[in-house]
Amino acid sequence: MALQGIEVEGVIIKEYPAREGVSQRTGNAWKSQDFVIQTKDQYPRACQFRVFGADRIQQFNIHQGDTVHIWLDINARPWQDKYITDISCYQCDHIDPNAVNTGAAPAQPASQLGAAPAAPAQSAAPAATAQPTAAQDPLGGDSSDDLPF
């Protein structure tokens, strides 16, 4: 069973030359190209992946420096008492890096991020007003350490 549908968004930091050949088993020509994508997280992560097939390589048109959103299929196969992991890209969308800075694209994530802290901030206010009553701890504990336990 293959893990399918893992999504990664980031910048292509390495583009390897395409490789091609003829399958010894089927006699069909093949072409593949490897890339490395790096996320834009606080702690960026990198992942090397492969695009298999001349048609997909041409369709995806991935190059170093591109900002992309990719869907990956991960599969491992045994080879000489080890497992080799193959990470293949089966779908790719290019992202305009200028659109990210205009506010149009981040509007949705910003609203999601803005909504999440707003709820705890509102709930923190009642907790702050309830804290003076916590000084009347029935167990006689010290409430100055602010620990919930």
Side-chain angles (χ1 to χ4, degrees):
M1 178 175 148
L3 295 174
Q4 191 171 18
I6 296 175
E7 298 179 37
V8 179
E9 188 173 306
V11 177
I12 301 298
I13 60 171
K14 179 75 176 167
E15 174 183 1
Y16 291 94
R19 294 175 299 165
E20 52 189 303
V22 177
S23 171
Q24 293 177 356
R25 190 180 57 159
T26 64
N28 295 334
W30 60 267
K31 186 174 184 178
S32 76
Q33 188 171 7
D34 288 357
F35 301 90
V36 177
I37 187 170
Q38 185 175 42
T39 64
K40 293 183 176 183
D41 299 328
Q42 180 181 1
Y43 302 105
R45 294 179 159 243
C47 176
Q48 183 173 339
F49 65 92
R50 173 176 297 134
V51 176
F52 189 83
D55 55 337
R56 281 191 175 165
I57 292 171
Q58 184 178 6
Q59 175 189 359
F60 295 167
N61 193 26
I62 301 172
H63 297 288
Q64 190 166 328
D66 290 354
T67 302
V68 294
H69 185 112
I70 58 173
W71 285 258
L72 302 174
D73 176 44
I74 301 174
N75 191 22
R77 56 184 164 67
W79 181 74
Q80 295 184 356
D81 201 31
K82 295 181 182 179
Y83 275 83
I84 306 300
T85 302
D86 181 49
I87 303 173
S88 298
C89 175
Y90 65 90
Q91 184 176 344
C92 174
D93 291 336
H94 285 263
I95 299 171
D96 182 3
N98 297 327
V100 173
N101 295 332
T102 63
Q108 185 178 4
S111 64
Q112 291 172 349
L113 294 176
Q122 292 171 353
S123 64
T129 58
Q131 190 167 354
T133 60
Q136 303 166 355
D137 185 9
L139 299 176
D142 185 352
S143 63
S144 63
D145 61 0
D146 293 329
L147 295 175
F149 50 88

